[in-house]
Amino acid sequence: MARTLLEHLRAQDDETLGALLRARPDLALPAPADTGVVATRAGVRTSVGRACEDLDALHLALVDALLVAEADQSPADPAVVLGLLGADVPPQVGRAALDRLRVLALVWDVPDDRGGAAGVRAVPALRDTARRYPAGLGRPAPADSVLHREDPAAVMAALPADERAVVDALDKDGPVGRSRAREGDDNPVARLLAAGVLRRLDDDTVELTREGGLGLRGDRPLGPVVAADPMPAPRTRDPETVDATAAGEALETVRRAEAVIAAWSDAPPAVLRSGGLGVRDLRKLAKQLDLDETAAGLLVEVLAAASLLAVSEEADAVWCPTTTADRWLASPPETQWVALARGWLEMPRQPSSIGQRDSMDKLVGPLSDEVRRPWAAQVRRRVLARLAEFDDGAGPVTVDALVESLAWRAPRRGGRARDDLVRATVREATALGVVALDALTTAGRELLRVPRRPDDDPDAAAAAALRPAMPAPVGHVLLQADLTAVAPGRLEPDLAAAMDRLADVESAGGATVYRISEGSIRRALDLGWTAADVHALFAERSATPVPQGLSYLIDDVARRHGRLRGGSAASFLRSEDEALLAEVMALPVAPELELRRLAPTVVVSTSPLAEVLDALRVAGLSPVAEDADGGVLDLRPRGRRTAPRRPDRSGGAPSLSDDQIAALVAQLRAGDRAATAPRGSATVPGSTRQTASATVAVLADAARTGRTVWIGYVDAAGTASQRVVRPLRVGGGLLEGTDAAVESEDTGPGSAVSFALHRITSVSVLTEN
């Protein structure tokens, strides 16, 4: 036990100090020089307020009890403090809650003059961060109040009905009310003032005293206290059903993301002058994807968070895919999904605000600064972490039950806005496939997991968890007489790639409908396919007979395809059919393309080859591009790309690894020993001040004699610290030695350390004990 927080912290073991730094990481940033710095930070109002934000309703009620008992001013009896929690809180639950506050260094035990336990003391800043009237109770009654002479409960029970109505109203709505009544007047307020049940604050305001409020509440001094999480019994489903349902949403999310990248590669939307995406572009995208505007806004926000979309660098900036998108498109669907889910989980933005009105009564658009919420990622993780506490396949009965549970766990973290964001998080997680049927998926649990080893990759584990839940890819399509092909599920990668070349998607969903046309077949032939290849694919991969009309279409397009071949001179056209070239030269577009016939079978143009071929196709011809060897050349545009941007991850709460905490605790121990070590001479004999040369001389002498020194040191970040070192060598601008603060007969010499001499501010030789 200790009289001050500093003494209390210095008396704790390494495990307790580590638990404190883990629970309150702001105490460790920047790295403290010793425990005194930690104690100072732990008593600062902002840090105390931050710690209280994560306290649940029970612990906040205990904070109120500490303040009612005035533990922030003098030690309070723990039994009295716990008794204020009332009949709703079992004693063991109250003691466990008080232990938690000890771990957080919000309270500590103080001894009495005889070395016994005097009580618990709370950090003074606790009152500054609490409500003005803790537990809704006013200040103590005057010394001459009847409440000090008699039992407060009996006094309050004996009040007449009109006086009881006054005190009941003040206890319900807060201890303060407005009244101009004066002692001596014949009214309830005046009589209560005279009895000391009420006290006057000013000419217009009265206050119900603390003893009066406690007398009204009986065995619940702080009012009703909810001692446990109000979450009802969960609803349980088969985990495989949950994962399979989520996998379907994950595949649909990936498909829509690919559609956005494809659409914005060819026609990227402009960036608004105020930043973000325009409403018209959002509506256009929503129509293309068959989504509402909110869902489309969520998708583009996730794509940007995953570094797949970014603003281009030219003057007329547009939103276009990044170079990272090409690698993403070539990845398996489970890897694609993990990139999207990770971006959503960690982005400090609130997509649910899209379409709402801001403070200037303007619509909030996607990708704009108005969507940014630094705390959004933290709320997202809190929601998913609560769902992760359920067993596999289990979840809350309703989303409202989840909202109430999280509200109990952190009452100070917002109100209605927090509740709306919890509901929005569940909706977004369900749409992305992180949550299904209100239960967290196996892949979602892996996303939340903190790596335990350097080779532990939660993203890879999430992809591996999602893979078996995805429906098996289908290796066939169903050809229809109307020149459509139905894919009854996710196609195998090679078949999907072939269908993308041979057909256009007409509708997507659980079953994708492809439209086969002259243009789509010609596109495949442009890429080097032959008519025989197309016939063979449909014959082998169609579960239904190939329609005769489709066979005719393939043969007709192939017969006309490639009769005219082009190159670049800027570009050229060649054909063995001289009459065909004569027909080309007679086209109305020939002068515009600047076509010139070099030989009976060759025509050249100054226009780019792609423009020439497009113009000839519009005129009804079917030319094909060729490379230098006569092979088919793919001239399709690659689409707009820009450099990826570094994802915004600034909204997460700071966290410390176990290794970082261990290093910090060791540094605190070294700093404490340095701060409390008895020091001897700090100068060379004969010198009156410690110059740079004197510092080097003292250190060199200590290295030669094997003595231990205390040094003051300022690191490159400007952080001052104190260390106890056993010098081994001084030279080359460095002091090299061992950390004497952790030396002992059991552990042996401390770890090797080195310090730049020019950063040592002071040095003293420690006296021998």
Side-chain angles (χ1 to χ4, degrees):
M1 292 183 288
R3 297 190 181 278
T4 66
L5 180 58
L6 174 57
E7 294 176 2
H8 168 73
L9 293 179
R10 282 182 172 168
Q12 303 307 303
D13 57 24
D14 290 355
E15 183 178 352
T16 303
L17 279 180
L20 170 61
L21 297 179
R22 186 177 292 106
R24 297 177 64 179
D26 59 305
L27 302 182
L29 300 173
D34 54 34
T35 309
V37 176
V38 175
T40 300
R41 293 176 183 174
V44 174
R45 175 179 177 177
T46 53
S47 180
V48 173
R50 193 177 292 115
C52 290
E53 285 181 352
D54 292 323
L55 295 180
D56 59 35
L58 171 62
H59 288 84
L60 288 179
L62 182 55
V63 168
D64 283 345
L66 288 164
L67 297 178
V68 170
E70 298 184 342
D72 58 317
Q73 300 174 26
S74 60
D77 185 350
V80 173
V81 173
L82 296 178
L84 290 172
L85 293 176
D88 295 328
V89 181
Q92 66 273 17
V93 174
R95 288 192 294 270
L98 190 58
D99 288 341
R100 176 60 180 169
L101 296 188
R102 290 188 179 100
V103 171
L104 294 173
L106 297 177
V107 301
W108 71 96
D109 295 315
V110 178
D112 57 20
D113 295 335
R114 297 183 300 276
V120 292
R121 180 73 189 274
V123 292
L126 205 58
R127 186 173 294 276
D128 298 333
T129 63
R131 296 177 291 175
R132 182 179 180 183
Y133 294 101
L137 295 171
R139 291 174 296 177
D144 58 349
S145 171
V146 66
L147 297 172
H148 289 302
R149 298 191 303 269
E150 301 179 21
D151 178 26
V155 172
M156 303 306 288
L159 291 176
D162 55 351
E163 296 179 13
R164 183 60 185 256
V166 171
V167 295
D168 284 343
L170 290 174
D171 185 51
K172 178 181 178 182
D173 300 329
V176 176
R178 298 180 63 84
S179 174
R180 289 181 173 272
R182 294 290 184 272
E183 294 184 22
D185 294 348
D186 187 16
N187 57 61
V189 174
R191 293 194 294 271
L192 291 170
L193 286 170
V197 175
L198 301 182
R199 60 185 304 167
R200 179 161 294 285
L201 298 181
D202 55 41
D203 291 342
D204 299 320
T205 312
V206 295
E207 177 185 72
L208 177 62
T209 59
R210 181 178 304 171
E211 291 79 3
L214 292 173
L216 286 174
R217 298 179 182 182
D219 61 353
R220 289 180 173 81
L222 303 184
V225 176
V226 181
D229 191 330
M231 176 70 75
R235 181 169 53 189
T236 304
R237 291 185 171 88
D238 183 7
E240 293 184 0
T241 301
V242 173
D243 288 347
T245 303
E249 292 295 337
L251 286 173
E252 189 66 10
T253 298
V254 169
R255 183 192 67 79
R256 287 169 175 158
E258 291 175 338
V260 174
I261 292 175
W264 287 11
S265 294
D266 298 332
V271 178
L272 298 179
R273 286 185 298 176
S274 58
L277 181 69
V279 175
R280 185 176 302 174
D281 292 316
L282 177 62
R283 290 173 179 170
K284 178 182 177 181
L285 180 65
K287 184 176 181 181
Q288 291 174 341
L289 301 177
D290 193 23
L291 294 172
D292 57 51
E293 293 176 22
T294 301
L298 168 64
L299 186 58
V300 296
E301 285 283 352
V302 170
L303 284 168
S307 296
L308 301 177
L309 294 179
V311 178
S312 63
E313 297 177 352
E314 62 261 29
D316 296 330
V318 295
W319 290 102
C320 65
T322 66
T323 53
T324 306
D326 296 311
R327 184 168 62 252
W328 181 83
L329 289 169
S331 301
E334 62 270 15
T335 303
Q336 292 177 308
W337 176 82
V338 167
L340 299 176
R342 176 65 65 188
W344 168 78
L345 180 62
E346 298 184 356
M347 66 179 182
R349 300 176 66 81
Q350 183 184 351
S352 60
S353 64
I354 296 173
Q356 299 179 359
R357 297 280 177 177
D358 62 11
S359 57
M360 304 296 291
D361 199 33
K362 294 181 180 179
L363 281 176
V364 175
L367 305 176
S368 63
D369 289 340
E370 287 75 12
V371 183
R372 194 175 189 281
R373 302 288 189 276
W375 36 260
Q378 190 174 358
V379 173
R380 216 171 277 128
R381 281 189 171 274
R382 286 183 58 243
V383 174
L384 297 185
R386 181 64 184 92
L387 293 176
E389 294 180 17
F390 292 102
D391 294 335
D392 292 345
V397 177
T398 63
V399 177
D400 287 341
L402 177 64
V403 170
E404 293 177 7
S405 173
L406 290 172
W408 179 86
R409 291 191 171 208
R412 291 194 181 182
R413 287 193 175 275
R416 179 177 178 181
R418 172 207 55 211
D419 298 345
D420 291 343
L421 186 54
V422 170
R423 294 185 176 93
T425 297
V426 175
R427 288 196 302 269
E428 293 169 7
T430 302
L432 294 173
V434 179
V435 169
L437 306 175
D438 292 338
L440 187 64
T441 63
T442 305
R445 293 176 186 274
E446 294 293 343
L447 280 177
L448 284 178
R449 187 169 53 80
V450 177
R452 294 183 291 269
R453 303 179 308 276
D455 60 342
D456 188 9
D457 187 357
D459 287 356
L466 178 63
R467 191 178 301 117
M470 287 183 169
V474 178
H476 66 273
V477 294
L478 307 175
L479 292 175
Q480 309 292 316
D482 60 351
L483 300 184
T484 59
V486 178
R490 177 169 65 101
L491 295 178
E492 294 176 351
D494 60 333
L495 180 56
M499 292 303 298
D500 287 340
R501 289 168 171 79
L502 285 165
D504 300 307
V505 176
E506 191 168 80
S507 65
T512 303
V513 179
Y514 293 90
R515 169 66 61 182
I516 305 171
S517 64
E518 178 180 342
S520 65
I521 294 176
R522 186 176 62 224
R523 181 174 66 227
L525 299 178
D526 288 344
L527 296 174
W529 287 54
T530 65
D533 294 334
V534 179
H535 282 301
L537 176 79
F538 285 143
E540 295 172 1
R541 294 301 190 98
S542 175
T544 57
V546 179
Q548 190 176 45
L550 177 58
S551 298
Y552 287 162
L553 177 63
I554 296 170
D555 292 337
D556 182 57
V557 173
R559 184 172 54 254
R560 292 182 287 113
H561 184 271
R563 293 173 59 194
L564 186 66
R565 307 183 72 83
S568 58
S571 59
F572 69 87
L573 300 172
R574 70 176 182 87
S575 176
E576 299 302 325
D577 189 344
E578 297 180 16
L580 179 59
L581 284 182
E583 179 185 346
V584 170
M585 296 301 296
L587 291 174
V589 75
E592 181 181 334
L593 296 175
E594 298 182 0
L595 297 180
R596 184 164 55 95
R597 195 166 187 173
L598 293 182
T601 58
V602 179
V603 172
V604 298
S605 172
T606 58
S607 299
L609 179 60
E611 293 183 10
V612 173
L613 298 185
D614 287 343
L616 295 178
R617 285 167 181 154
V618 171
L621 299 175
S622 298
V624 64
E626 69 176 8
D627 58 19
D629 298 324
V632 175
L633 184 64
D634 183 8
L635 294 180
R636 291 183 304 166
R638 177 172 172 270
R640 293 287 294 274
R641 292 292 185 269
T642 189
R645 305 294 189 268
R646 184 176 181 180
D648 186 357
R649 301 286 189 262
S650 58
S655 60
L656 299 172
S657 66
D658 292 342
D659 292 341
Q660 289 174 317
I661 290 175
L664 284 169
V665 171
Q667 179 174 320
L668 292 177
R669 296 303 188 197
D672 287 346
R673 178 169 179 187
T676 58
R679 307 172 196 170
S681 172
T683 62
V684 177
S687 175
T688 58
R689 62 190 183 90
Q690 188 167 1
T691 62
S693 59
T695 296
V696 173
V698 170
L699 294 174
D701 181 69
R704 185 171 55 256
T705 59
R707 303 186 67 184
T708 304
V709 299
W710 172 96
I711 64 171
Y713 189 76
V714 178
D715 63 17
T719 302
S721 62
Q722 302 170 349
R723 302 295 294 271
V724 176
V725 181
R726 189 178 299 279
L728 298 178
R729 191 178 74 86
V730 180
L734 291 176
L735 162 65
E736 298 178 8
T738 59
D739 189 350
V742 296
E743 288 183 355
S744 68
E745 295 181 358
D746 297 330
T747 62
S751 58
V753 293
S754 63
F755 303 92
L757 290 175
H758 70 280
R759 296 190 179 277
I760 296 177
T761 59
S762 55
V763 58
S764 295
V765 179
L766 298 186
T767 60
E768 300 293 340
N769 293 329

